[in-house]
Amino acid sequence: MPLRFKCSEINVAFKETAHVWFDRSIRVFTKVVPEEHTGSVEAALEYVGVPSNMTIEEARSVIQTALAEKAQDLAEELAMDAKSVDIEWELDEEQE
């Protein structure tokens, strides 16, 4: 999936309003690691490689941090969506 859809209306509808698609890619070492390579540190490391100025352990640490931050961001987005659904349910119940 693209980081942004070419059509701004689709971008807003799918990513910002409906949250049908959550971007699960990460940016590491100036590269965007696509979702299919973010299942593990090793998969992401294999995709981006080890920069010449780092050891493999340092590279793994950087990738692990990026994956953990992305997981936290996604969890927060889902929690916000769940909270907005709860609010909508409460409003519906009050109107009945």
Side-chain angles (χ1 to χ4, degrees):
M1 292 292 269
L3 291 178
R4 291 201 60 82
F5 293 99
K6 290 182 182 179
C7 174
S8 62
E9 288 84 7
I10 290 174
N11 201 58
V12 169
F14 280 90
K15 293 171 66 180
E16 296 173 20
T17 304
H19 292 283
V20 171
W21 176 69
F22 291 106
D23 179 21
R24 291 178 176 88
S25 64
I26 59 171
R27 182 173 295 278
V28 180
F29 312 134
T30 71
K31 293 183 180 180
V32 174
V33 181
E35 178 179 353
E36 58 268 19
H37 297 282
T38 61
S40 70
V41 172
E42 292 305 315
L45 183 60
E46 184 178 319
Y47 183 82
V48 297
V50 179
S52 60
N53 63 338
M54 287 187 167
T55 66
I56 193 165
E57 292 81 17
E58 291 170 330
R60 280 189 183 114
S61 178
V62 169
I63 291 170
Q64 180 61 49
T65 299
L67 288 171
E69 288 172 356
K70 178 54 82 170
Q72 181 64 37
D73 291 346
L74 290 172
E76 289 171 4
E77 282 188 57
L78 288 171
M80 287 175 48
D81 285 350
K83 188 175 182 179
S84 68
V85 169
D86 289 343
I87 291 169
E88 289 174 17
W89 278 95
E90 289 173 15
L91 290 175
D92 289 344
E93 291 172 3
E94 289 174 7
Q95 293 174 356
E96 292 178 0

